[in-house]
Amino acid sequence: MARWAIAIHGGAGVDPNLPEHRQEEAKRVLARCLQVGVDALRAGAKALDVVEAVVRELETDPFFNSGRGSALTRRGTVEMESSIMDGRGRRCGAVSGVSTVKNPVSLARLVMDKSPHSYLAFDGAEEFAREQGLEVVDNSYFITEDNVGMLKLAKEANSILFDYRIPLAGLDTCSAQAGSENHNGMVMNGLPISIYAPETVGCAVVDSNGFCAAATSTGGLMNKMTGRIGDSPLIGSGTYACDLCAVSCTGEGEAIIRSTLARDVAAVMEYRGAGLQEAVDYCVKERLDEGFAGLIAVSRTGEVAYGFNCTGMFRGCATEDGFMEVGIWE
């Protein structure tokens, strides 16, 4: 029997001045969702079922940028995307442009299990969701007051803004920061870290049979063009799983896409014989060029690894031997 392990993330690139109460809130959400996965694995659940269940929990909580609480397009609407991959046979499913499906990761799972395709988008994805009987809601369900305020800030700054849940009372301050030099020198996607936060969510799991799976879900960029597709639904970029490992990425989507970051972790293990953490470190250091991102990964032998080249990543992990942690910084 293999040893099970699980890793989750809620986004890479965290403002070092993030208020303490917001840090604690993030940790509570991560711990609760991590426990969902741990309980399922202890009960003998399969890796694929666990990553779907955990990401559903993350999508339902408005703290992170997925499902309810997703970032808004220029038009003030939500367009979500998600992917899931089973390391057994490298089966996969992905969706983009989803606007009414309550849990996009479950739609991605159905694309994999119940359709002849690997990827559906926009009207086709929505139609398939209804055919399969998935729960759908009005687009307004996903929109929060904080995100409406953040979209206003993004439009005023005339830029794309990674959704960060900054309290509305702080918008004027953030707007001023966006127009000035970043005090700590950290910039992601052309924006000061003080108003950057991707908060994409993801989960990577190896079960007690040694099977790996991964899933990723996001609302994308605040103030993005309608129709924009990031790395999260792209197999090999934002999500990847095979017989060796499972990986979920977060950060600057365009950089992750260019580097096929998730697949590269598996490739370094496969072709160079590297261990999991060595492969993660290599890809984060060597494959992102000037981009900023992070990732979580598990191996078929029950190892857990993560890496990021920016200021922090919301994350958590647990292993069968009883180790469990939730963290943000190094």
Side-chain angles (χ1 to χ4, degrees):
M1 296 287 286
R3 296 181 304 154
W4 60 256
I6 179 173
I8 66 175
H9 72 74
V14 183
D15 180 6
N17 297 313
L18 181 65
E20 187 69 28
H21 73 278
R22 299 298 287 172
Q23 296 182 40
E24 292 306 313
E25 183 178 359
K27 290 178 180 179
R28 284 194 297 271
V29 174
L30 290 169
R32 176 174 56 78
C33 295
L34 182 62
Q35 191 63 53
V36 169
V38 168
D39 291 344
L41 286 164
R42 286 174 175 164
K46 296 179 180 178
L48 190 64
D49 295 331
V50 175
V51 296
E52 180 186 4
V54 171
V55 171
R56 281 177 62 95
E57 285 291 318
L58 289 162
E59 288 174 338
T60 302
D61 194 293
F63 188 90
F64 293 114
N65 175 13
S66 64
R68 186 164 182 263
S70 285
L72 305 179
T73 69
R74 290 179 178 179
R75 297 177 180 174
T77 58
V78 166
E79 292 180 355
M80 300 166 290
E81 47 198 24
S82 182
S83 62
I84 191 168
M85 190 165 188
D86 186 353
R88 295 174 298 173
R90 288 177 290 191
R91 300 187 310 129
C92 59
V95 293
S96 288
V98 175
S99 59
T100 68
V101 178
K102 190 173 183 180
N103 290 108
V105 69
S106 292
L107 179 56
R109 172 79 183 268
L110 286 172
V111 170
M112 178 179 71
D113 288 344
K114 301 295 185 179
S115 86
H117 308 302
S118 295
Y119 198 157
L120 293 176
F122 296 92
D123 290 346
E126 294 280 342
E127 181 180 355
F128 181 68
R130 286 164 173 76
E131 290 174 356
Q132 294 298 314
L134 278 184
E135 183 176 3
V136 295
V137 293
D138 188 81
N139 195 251
S140 60
Y141 163 83
F142 305 101
I143 299 173
T144 65
E145 182 182 355
D146 279 354
N147 282 349
V148 171
M150 292 302 289
L151 179 62
K152 180 176 182 291
L153 170 61
K155 289 180 178 295
E156 290 173 352
N158 193 30
S159 61
I160 295 173
L161 182 65
F162 283 79
D163 176 25
Y164 194 163
R165 294 311 159 298
I166 295 177
L168 293 180
L171 290 182
D172 292 340
T173 300
C174 295
S175 182
Q177 289 175 334
S180 62
E181 183 177 353
N182 185 20
H183 71 279
N184 60 22
M186 186 66 183
V187 174
M188 293 185 71
N189 198 51
L191 293 171
I193 192 66
S194 59
I195 57 171
Y196 165 90
E199 295 182 354
T200 290
V201 304
C203 181
V205 167
V206 57
D207 61 30
S208 58
N209 293 311
F211 298 135
C212 298
T216 311
S217 185
T218 189
L221 305 178
M222 185 65 75
N223 198 32
K224 65 183 179 182
M225 295 174 63
T226 55
R228 183 262 184 183
I229 295 172
D231 67 285
S232 295
L234 301 184
I235 300 300
S237 292
T239 304
Y240 191 75
C242 60
D243 62 341
L244 287 175
C245 65
V247 184
S248 176
C249 301
T250 175
E252 294 183 334
E254 278 64 25
I256 295 171
I257 292 169
R258 293 193 301 269
S259 65
T260 58
L261 190 61
R263 166 56 187 160
D264 265 20
V265 172
V268 171
M269 295 180 69
E270 182 177 355
Y271 300 133
R272 295 182 56 175
L276 182 67
Q277 189 65 62
E278 180 186 356
V280 167
D281 291 343
Y282 175 84
C283 291
V284 170
K285 181 179 179 180
E286 302 292 340
R287 299 296 294 158
L288 283 168
D289 300 319
E290 296 180 356
F292 293 103
L295 62 88
I296 55 169
V298 298
S299 74
R300 67 182 176 188
T301 59
E303 300 168 290
V304 174
Y306 64 86
F308 51 92
N309 64 352
C310 46
T311 56
M313 179 170 70
F314 297 109
R315 64 190 186 276
C317 66
T319 59
E320 188 171 352
D321 61 12
F323 176 79
M324 182 182 294
E325 73 171 2
V326 171
I328 301 176
W329 314 111
E330 295 289 351

